[in-house]
Amino acid sequence: MKSVVVVFPGSNREKDMADAIERTSGMRPTLLWHKDTEIGKPDLIVLPGGFSYGDYLRCGAIAAHSPVMKEVIRLAKGGTPLLAVCNGFQMLVETRLVPGALLRNTSLKFICKSVQLRLDGTSSTFTSKMKKGDVITVPVAHGEGNYVVDADTLKALNDNDQVAFRYLENINGATDNIAGVYNETKTILGMMPHPEDATDETLGNASASPFFEGIASVLR
Amino acid sequence: MLLVCFVVKHFYKTDTMAQAAQKLPETFKEPAVSEKLAGEFGLKPDEYKHILNILKREPTYTELGIFSVMWSEHCSYKSSRHWLAKLPTKAPWVIQGPGEGAGVIDIGDGQAAVFKMESHNHPSYIEPYQGAATGVGGILRDVFTMGARPIANINALRFGDPSHPKTRQLIAGVVKGIGDYGNAVGVPTVGGETNFHAAYNGNILVNAMTVGVADTDKIFYSRGASVGQPVVYVGSKTGRDGIHGATMSSAEFTEGDEDQRPTVQVGDPFTEKLLLEACLELMKTDCIVSLQDMGAAGLTSSSVEIAAKGEIGLVMDLDKVPMRESGMVPYEIMLSESQERMLVILKPGKEAEAFKIFDKWDLDYATIGHTVERRYLTLNMYGRTWCDIPVPPLVDESPKYVRPTAAQPKPATLNPQHTALPAGGLVEALKKIIACPDVASKKWIYEQYDPIVRGETRYGPAQADAAVVRLDGKQKALVITSDCTPRYVQANPREGAKQAVAESWRNITATGGKPLAITNNLNFGNPEKPEIMGQFAESIEGMREACLALDYPVVSGNVSLYNETNGKAILPTPVIGGVGLIDDARKTVGLAYKEGDTLLLIGGATTHLGQSLFAREIHGTEAGDVPPVDLKHEKQTGDAVRTLIEAGLVSACHDISDGGVLTAIAEMALAANIGAKLDGPEIAAFWFGEDQGRYVVATSTPEKITAPHITLGKVGGTALMGVEIKTLRDLHEGWLPNYMAGKN
């Protein structure tokens, strides 16, 4: 699997992501600096977590207009699988590749802790080694993870099985406990929690390894 | 408006970094210098006279400003230097002891751990959010300036009594400041400690520690500059923030000092992250001679340090300094403590290569001067010279005081009535102690920190006695902790400081790690008072004894004096930041014991309750002497416990400290979410005594434990001493969130 993790100024989970992909697929992703607009033809593009541009305007808003994003959007619209986690998810909603917006947590505080996620939307590139209803324990680390959509969009997301993950306990105020969503064709997944930080038995949690193994087995 | 400028800067950056020439405001005239003005700058009459002797003339306003910050307590350590020299700083694994930005120790395989702890007490009291945030920023820079990638942050916080009207707001601001900064830079905050005491009502303590990892052959120092090299400025632009911050940190507070808010710096973690990555990238090239971050006293201390250590002089054209505001004058530029700035001495001819990296990371930079043979700090701006002072006396002849000391009064004897169990017995005492502010869960705090970013954290907050963070690509891990029990140091400075070192050593040992070295952050009151200086001197002696006995040298540190408000001093708080090593993270143990384990007490029983939390929380007394530290016993017991862990015989381990054996077991029960059945005498001292050098060890194979021990009980069920774990959890985890919500 040829994968690319795009690094923006202020990204800080590219290492976690690259380690997780390498650990589960055996192949280390390329880290691509956001000013390099030549992506090539990867099997998977990842937008990692962090605080791109310091999150100073609106989380992910500036990165969404970074030079590399034109090509990312073009490839993703053409069907190249795109995984966007945390700050990556915030960029994703800014690009409108998935619907919705991410507001401040209702507690108004940054939250970092392990949470339980239930897989709801299956049959995607990302979930071949998981079953509907599987519960994984994965850390969250965000201040703006409160996913919001209007009622019509929510209905559409549910009707099309586009809600990938839900929190068992609503930690941030997200509509309908939504932790991660797909685009209509399920080739793009945006999620707030960090599965990349739950792939190492030595650190006490490999709950999300099947998630990455599933991606690797499809895109191999 | 600010945001718009920001976006424009990052997307439409011009090719040249040169700024339009600034003009000196026509009305500007440097104020006249006098002994009185020197006094306002914190210089004593004798110190001012000495400046006149050095210069053989009156200093200019700019020069006086430079002398005053370099000779402030904060920068010169004038009251503490004499005593600090007594601390043991050497061991075969020490690469760099005190004197550089941070200490450096060898951790094998060509790698080094680089670490230091530093206080940001005064700014955090005045403006908790920015004060704490910039404290984290400053210590991060101290570490990455030396070529190390920061892999962990820890913080040690002391707040006033929870009932004090300012405490809640200070906690909220400090915690958010630490979290927002560390989280954004992407360095995990893996642990820390938080205490409360009325002695901190007017003067909280915010001590932040960073641990980084570097290759031993790629460590960068502030020394090494020679003549004819360019002096390069990189990082944030200089503004008027933080002017005279070092001087403020060297004075007592009086009421109304909240007005000093303009002397607090403002942090920008995003620029810090860019600066971090740019520096580490630049360090892989062959461009750098030396570098120094602009911390306390900003451009002054960084340039003077590089000049002093290189035995050279610097000529700087301050017109070229990237500036945030117009009309700035040399005094302001030299004393500004704007954050996220670095001074780099480059090899001649390497400018283009370095600037390409700064451009990649969108950082401001400029060549602002060059090194010269004449050992003077010469500052030019607006077409004239504003400062021309000899560097060696500025550094070497800074004042040094051996201040008078007075012995600490002995604490009152503990009344035997205050060793009795309360009406509800052990259970009632336990319930009270695990919910008291010092012991209650700090989850409300650490859930606002990201302890796992970088993906190498084996144990973060409240999971083990120390944090365990793996080295990239290896199973080897660093073990990190911060410790101090200020009430012990207050009661008996020598034993209390000894205890802080011993507890640090013990906490690392309890995870299976081998303790290697410490950094210390010595927070005390006004050193001009003999009783405070006495506390300081005694603490140094205690620390020295413990460091020598445990082979645990001091490699870096920071002294924060004048922690007083309206003449009332804080508890003496010498915080110890410890670093250890374990060769395989999979062998470390945490607090969570397993079903069926047997619980053993290793290190002996106790009959002592002086200065215990039990006496304070149950009987409301802070009387009695501290539990003494028998360093020989400490080492023997610790080495034995570590051997058991290495042999794989231990499933969980917890050192015994605040609240004694029963509190330790309760914390293990909460971590595991399993109860335990315990046996032992119905005596307060046995369960709540805080005698040192002791551990609770959980094992599934008690028959194999040959070290002397007392069997305490067996793990299982949903209750501890008949109290449901859920009840204990509600008590333990409920206090802080309820308090922050204003409910108690």
Side-chain angles (χ1 to χ4, degrees):
Chain A
M1 179 176 76
K2 241 172 62 190
S3 57
V4 164
V5 178
V6 186
V7 182
F8 300 89
S11 293
N12 65 25
R13 262 185 162 84
E14 69 275 16
K15 174 188 174 297
D16 311 43
M17 185 58 80
D19 287 352
I21 290 175
E22 186 179 5
R23 200 177 290 125
T24 50
S25 74
M27 282 185 69
R28 187 141 190 105
T30 309
L31 296 183
L32 184 83
W33 181 238
H34 77 121
K35 288 181 186 171
D36 303 334
T37 46
E38 281 295 311
I39 302 182
K41 286 186 177 163
D43 302 313
L44 172 72
I45 303 171
V46 183
L47 304 178
F51 291 73
S52 57
Y53 295 94
D55 279 355
Y56 286 150
L57 180 57
R58 208 169 46 234
C59 302
I62 303 177
H65 295 278
S66 175
V68 74
M69 283 306 283
K70 255 194 192 139
E71 185 64 2
V72 169
I73 292 167
R74 191 185 70 79
L75 287 169
K77 281 186 173 163
T80 303
L82 172 63
L83 171 64
V85 171
C86 200
N87 194 225
F89 187 20
Q90 292 164 338
M91 294 170 206
L92 201 60
V93 298
E94 290 287 339
T95 62
R96 314 307 302 158
L97 285 171
V98 293
L102 289 153
L103 308 186
R104 285 193 78 183
N105 300 341
T106 42
S107 67
L108 302 182
K109 289 203 295 283
F110 184 90
I111 302 172
C112 184
K113 64 176 182 180
S114 275
V115 300
Q116 292 192 302
L117 293 185
R118 188 183 64 227
L119 178 66
D120 281 350
T122 52
S123 314
S124 79
T125 310
F126 306 95
T127 55
S128 68
K129 291 258 165 106
M130 296 177 73
K131 296 188 308 290
K132 191 175 175 74
D134 277 358
V135 173
I136 57 176
T137 303
V138 173
V140 292
H142 60 246
E144 279 97 355
N146 175 0
Y147 182 74
V148 176
V149 281
D150 61 38
D152 291 344
T153 313
L154 179 63
K155 186 170 180 307
L157 285 175
N158 279 324
D159 291 349
N160 300 333
D161 196 30
Q162 277 176 258
V163 177
F165 291 103
R166 281 190 168 84
Y167 303 106
L168 288 196
E169 182 198 346
N170 196 334
I171 50 152
N172 52 23
T175 306
D176 210 14
N177 286 24
I178 293 173
V181 290
Y182 298 117
N183 65 336
E184 281 179 18
T185 53
K186 293 192 181 176
T187 56
I188 301 173
L189 169 60
M191 62 191 294
M192 284 316 295
H194 291 282
E196 71 274 25
D197 286 317
T199 56
D200 191 343
E201 203 55 69
T202 304
L203 301 181
N205 183 6
S207 186
S209 291
F211 173 78
F212 284 100
E213 285 158 7
I215 298 173
S217 74
V218 172
L219 300 178
R220 139 179 78 117
Chain B
M1 188 60 202
L2 227 166
L3 284 170
V4 174
C5 298
F6 175 82
V7 175
V8 169
K9 181 191 142 192
H10 279 278
F11 284 103
Y12 308 102
K13 212 158 72 75
T14 48
D15 290 337
T16 166
M17 297 302 295
Q19 55 191 356
Q22 300 259 358
K23 272 225 277 302
L24 180 67
E26 270 169 33
T27 51
F28 180 79
K29 198 168 162 283
E30 280 205 314
V33 169
S34 65
E35 190 179 305
K36 184 167 166 285
L37 182 70
E40 285 166 23
F41 281 9
L43 289 163
K44 299 269 160 24
D46 281 355
E47 296 173 350
Y48 180 64
K49 278 198 192 85
H50 193 58
I51 294 171
L52 296 178
N53 276 335
I54 289 171
L55 294 178
K56 314 273 187 277
R57 60 173 167 83
E58 226 171 46
T60 66
Y61 186 72
T62 306
E63 291 170 338
L64 184 70
I66 288 173
F67 268 102
S68 73
V69 290
M70 287 305 297
W71 287 10
S72 69
E73 188 68 58
H74 193 82
C75 292
S76 73
Y77 293 79
K78 56 190 169 190
S79 303
S80 59
R81 251 155 54 211
H82 167 79
W83 294 99
L84 295 175
K86 291 173 179 276
L87 291 172
T89 58
K90 293 199 167 61
W93 53 88
V94 174
I95 295 174
Q96 174 68 54
E100 277 285 343
V104 184
I105 57 171
D106 195 331
I107 53 171
D109 303 326
Q111 288 185 303
V114 178
F115 61 97
K116 189 185 178 185
M117 187 184 282
E118 201 161 71
S119 62
H120 231 208
N121 304 337
H122 291 74
S124 300
Y125 182 76
I126 297 171
E127 211 299 286
Y129 179 80
Q130 292 295 350
T134 54
V136 175
I139 195 64
L140 280 167
R141 281 194 301 286
D142 276 337
V143 166
F144 73 71
T145 302
M146 299 197 72
R149 176 170 285 281
I151 64 162
N153 281 336
I154 269 203
N155 54 74
L157 311 177
R158 263 88 197 175
F159 295 106
D161 192 279
S163 67
H164 189 272
K166 283 199 84 157
T167 301
R168 196 175 275 113
Q169 168 227 334
L170 288 168
I171 297 172
V174 165
V175 170
K176 188 163 167 50
I178 291 172
D180 283 0
Y181 207 100
N183 297 346
V185 178
V187 177
T189 301
V190 295
E193 46 174 347
T194 308
N195 285 162
F196 301 86
H197 195 283
Y200 304 106
N201 279 352
N203 201 314
I204 61 169
L205 302 184
V206 175
N207 298 174
M209 171 174 171
T210 294
V211 183
V213 172
D215 290 338
T216 47
D217 58 355
K218 274 279 186 189
I219 292 167
F220 292 83
Y221 299 99
S222 53
R223 58 181 182 248
S226 57
V227 175
Q229 295 167 333
V231 178
V232 172
Y233 172 116
V234 59
S236 289
K237 289 184 165 73
T238 295
R240 290 187 168 99
D241 46 336
I243 290 175
H244 256 308
T247 313
M248 170 190 76
S249 298
S250 305
E252 281 184 43
F253 271 144
T254 45
E255 237 158 275
D257 274 3
E258 289 85 343
D259 295 346
Q260 292 194 357
R261 211 160 279 133
T263 57
V264 178
Q265 314 86 327
V266 176
D268 173 7
F270 175 55
T271 300
E272 178 97 342
K273 172 72 172 164
L274 301 181
L275 192 59
L276 160 67
E277 297 301 338
C279 283
L280 292 181
E281 193 169 327
L282 182 61
M283 285 161 176
K284 288 187 193 150
T285 68
D286 184 34
C287 296
I288 302 174
V289 177
S290 76
L291 73 171
Q292 180 72 36
D293 105 274
M294 297 189 213
L299 189 50
T300 295
S301 64
S302 53
S303 57
V304 169
E305 190 152 343
I306 282 176
K309 288 192 174 152
E311 300 184 359
I312 49 160
L314 294 186
V315 176
M316 299 200 288
D317 300 317
L318 299 183
D319 305 276
K320 294 186 180 145
V321 168
M323 278 172 277
R324 195 186 295 155
E325 297 170 57
S326 60
M328 288 186 73
V329 295
Y331 171 85
E332 295 169 322
I333 294 169
M334 292 307 288
L335 267 62
S336 161
E337 290 191 5
S338 290
Q339 297 290 291
E340 295 93 19
R341 303 178 301 157
M342 201 71 95
L343 200 64
V344 191
I345 308 296
L346 289 178
K347 291 185 177 167
K350 293 285 188 181
E351 291 93 327
E353 192 178 346
F355 295 170
K356 207 176 148 200
I357 292 172
F358 298 153
D359 277 333
K360 171 184 168 184
W361 293 98
D362 293 327
L363 288 162
D364 285 314
Y365 59 85
T367 302
I368 61 167
H370 59 283
T371 56
V372 293
E373 197 168 339
R374 181 173 172 264
R375 297 183 66 185
Y376 273 65
L377 180 67
T378 309
L379 304 175
N380 301 319
M381 194 177 192
Y382 302 124
R384 62 185 238 221
T385 299
W386 299 70
C387 164
D388 190 45
I389 48 182
V391 173
L394 177 61
V395 177
D396 304 334
E397 292 177 33
S398 67
K400 180 176 175 178
Y401 299 116
V402 182
R403 298 194 188 277
T405 60
Q408 192 73 1
K410 284 238 174 306
T413 325
L414 184 66
N415 181 339
Q417 287 177 347
H418 291 155
T419 61
L421 282 170
L426 289 172
V427 164
E428 201 47 45
L430 174 65
K431 283 180 168 174
K432 238 182 162 163
I433 287 171
I434 60 157
C436 80
D438 279 349
V439 177
S441 166
K442 304 301 180 298
K443 199 181 247 187
W444 187 93
I445 294 174
Y446 65 72
E447 280 189 352
Q448 297 185 58
Y449 303 152
D450 184 342
I452 53 170
V453 60
R454 298 197 83 255
E456 302 290 357
T457 306
R458 173 67 188 98
Y459 288 124
Q463 294 181 310
D465 274 353
V468 178
V469 182
R470 230 171 27 183
L471 301 175
D472 295 9
K474 298 201 163 72
Q475 289 303 343
K476 215 160 83 172
L478 293 182
V479 186
I480 308 160
T481 175
S482 85
D483 297 279
C484 183
T485 311
R487 66 179 187 279
Y488 291 174
V489 193
Q490 170 79 21
N492 186 334
R494 183 181 291 236
E495 285 299 319
K498 222 200 256 181
Q499 192 274 343
V501 176
E503 186 172 353
S504 164
W505 188 87
R506 200 183 309 142
N507 277 329
I508 290 172
T509 298
T511 67
K514 185 181 164 13
L516 289 178
I518 61 174
T519 179
N520 59 22
N521 200 147
L522 310 176
N523 309 275
F524 287 81
N526 180 349
E528 294 162 44
K529 296 178 181 167
E531 63 273 23
I532 300 290
M533 210 53 224
Q535 290 174 343
F536 189 86
E538 281 287 295
S539 294
I540 294 284
E541 295 292 353
M543 239 178 274
R544 174 188 162 77
E545 272 179 55
C547 290
L548 287 173
L550 300 172
D551 223 0
Y552 202 28
V554 181
V555 296
S556 59
N558 168 241
V559 179
S560 172
L561 301 175
Y562 297 96
N563 289 292
E564 302 206 355
T565 299
N566 296 331
K568 219 173 158 303
I570 58 160
L571 300 184
T573 313
V575 179
I576 304 298
V579 173
L581 185 67
I582 186 156
D583 61 3
D584 189 341
R586 290 168 293 196
K587 287 191 197 159
T588 55
V589 296
L591 300 183
Y593 54 41
K594 311 273 180 319
E595 185 88 36
D597 279 349
T598 301
L599 296 174
L600 309 177
L601 166 61
I602 295 185
T606 168
T607 54
H608 184 105
L609 279 171
Q611 293 298 327
S612 65
L613 277 188
F614 175 86
R616 192 180 83 189
E617 297 299 323
I618 306 300
H619 295 287
T621 173
E622 293 187 328
D625 202 354
V626 303
V629 182
D630 176 343
L631 291 164
K632 210 173 142 203
H633 170 263
E634 182 79 51
K635 183 142 190 355
Q636 275 171 358
T637 311
D639 288 345
V641 168
R642 194 179 314 106
T643 307
L644 295 175
I645 296 171
E646 281 166 0
L649 297 173
V650 175
S651 54
C653 182
H654 196 354
D655 89 306
I656 295 167
S657 55
D658 275 354
V661 178
L662 193 52
T663 306
I665 294 174
E667 287 169 349
M668 295 171 90
L670 289 164
N673 208 25
I674 310 174
K677 277 213 159 54
L678 305 179
D679 287 317
E682 189 85 358
I683 296 171
F686 181 85
W687 292 107
F688 297 108
E690 296 171 10
D691 273 32
Q692 300 294 299
R694 304 188 305 147
Y695 303 78
V696 176
V697 165
T699 176
S700 60
T701 51
E703 68 285 357
K704 291 191 185 162
I705 307 289
T706 50
H709 61 264
I710 298 165
T711 303
L712 293 168
K714 213 162 165 59
V715 176
T718 59
L720 180 69
M721 285 205 152
V723 190
E724 286 298 312
I725 299 298
K726 164 125 190 20
T727 310
L728 287 179
R729 188 178 304 286
D730 289 346
L731 289 166
H732 184 60
E733 294 178 3
W735 179 77
L736 188 52
N738 285 335
Y739 171 70
M740 293 308 295
K743 291 181 196 160
N744 58 12

